[in-house]
Amino acid sequence: MNQAEVQRKTVIFVLGAPGAGKSTTSRLLADQYGFQAFQSGQVLRDAAKNAKDLRLRTLIASRMKRSMPMPVEVYCRLLEDYVQKRTGNGLVVDGYPRTVEQATHIPTVLKTINMSDDRVVGFILDAPQEILIARSTARLVCGTCGQNTQPDTGCCGAPVLHRRPDDAIAPLLERSRRFRETLPSVREVFSSQWPCFGIDASKSQGEVIAAMKERLQLPFKGAGDV
């Protein structure tokens, strides 16, 4: 890796079916490398409740209720607010792109956050359907801090746990079906410009992170391996 490559930031896009562990994996990877982590699902849920712009809040809430993909301009606006300055070594975005249109407009997203000249890498987390369903149906959300968690895991000082409506079996299977239908086309668009790696998400979290780090081939700058 030459000096010019070392000086470039890295933008990582993490895709995966429901239950693949996108949010947790993205957060851990970002923590290890000193990246910012843009967790699309959580950011969108927060914006649907708290965005100051009523039209934006209504649009996001309406589309989330119907499990519809967000327009590219919504992601650009939220990312621009989130990435106020370029700190650390880069950015991890999970859950984007979900559609061919979103994949096609990644250069627009990168330009919005002044990261057009940076390295871009994609990861697709996948596992057998039965594993993904078991994970999703066991998943709970902390009503206090908003993070995914489990009863015996804990997440903050005063957790109020509940299950997201879209983790019920019927909507879960529908979300998974749509993901698998669109993935080949999304991957084709992404791979035409940047490297994109499949990762076996059925393995332990440590093994998943290790596989991603191996493909990134970046010097580790964290306090210790996961």
Side-chain angles (χ1 to χ4, degrees):
M1 190 159 50
N2 60 35
Q3 186 63 29
E5 189 72 8
V6 171
Q7 295 300 320
R8 296 170 71 194
K9 305 290 184 179
T10 301
V11 185
I12 300 171
F13 292 92
V14 180
L15 299 177
K22 298 183 294 296
S23 296
T24 301
T25 300
S26 297
R27 187 171 67 251
L28 290 172
L29 192 66
D31 287 346
Q32 287 211 8
Y33 283 119
F35 291 4
Q36 295 184 78
F38 182 86
Q39 297 183 284
S40 299
Q42 187 60 48
V43 171
L44 288 168
R45 285 189 288 273
D46 289 344
K49 295 179 180 178
N50 305 315
K52 295 180 180 179
D53 186 327
L54 177 59
R55 292 179 62 184
L56 178 64
R57 190 165 72 237
T58 302
L59 171 64
I60 294 174
S62 173
R63 284 184 168 254
M64 289 192 73
K65 185 177 181 179
R66 293 176 288 169
S67 296
M68 293 179 63
M70 295 293 161
V72 174
E73 54 267 26
V74 169
Y75 282 99
C76 287
R77 185 167 175 180
L78 295 176
L79 269 165
E80 190 173 21
D81 290 341
Y82 184 83
V83 186
Q84 297 181 3
K85 59 180 179 179
R86 296 178 63 188
T87 58
N89 302 311
L91 175 70
V92 182
V93 180
D94 81 63
Y96 184 96
R98 288 175 56 191
T99 67
V100 170
E101 180 186 12
Q102 290 176 354
T104 302
H105 285 88
I106 285 177
T108 303
V109 173
L110 297 175
K111 183 177 181 180
T112 298
I113 55 177
N114 298 317
M115 301 185 85
S116 296
D117 296 327
D118 297 320
R119 296 177 63 204
V120 176
V121 181
F123 289 106
I124 299 173
L125 308 182
D126 201 6
Q129 181 82 325
E130 59 270 21
I131 293 178
L132 299 176
I133 291 175
R135 286 178 180 174
S136 296
T137 53
R139 179 170 58 192
L140 297 172
V141 177
C142 177
T144 305
C145 69
Q147 293 295 329
N148 291 334
T149 187
Q150 293 185 1
D152 58 348
T153 302
C155 52
C156 64
V160 179
L161 306 180
H162 61 88
R163 180 167 285 108
R164 293 207 316 255
D166 57 0
D167 277 342
I169 288 293
L172 182 64
L173 290 174
E174 177 61 19
R175 288 164 57 212
S176 181
R177 181 191 65 79
R178 287 201 304 267
F179 171 79
R180 295 191 183 283
E181 280 185 354
T182 59
L183 178 60
S185 298
V186 170
R187 185 170 191 168
E188 181 179 0
V189 171
F190 192 101
S191 300
S192 68
Q193 299 187 68
W194 307 286
C196 185
F197 303 101
I199 300 292
D200 182 358
S202 67
K203 296 185 177 181
S204 70
Q205 192 69 69
E207 290 174 302
V208 170
I209 294 291
M212 296 171 79
K213 285 168 59 177
E214 180 180 357
R215 287 158 179 79
L216 281 170
Q217 296 182 339
L218 293 175
F220 176 63
K221 297 184 179 180
D225 288 346
V226 170

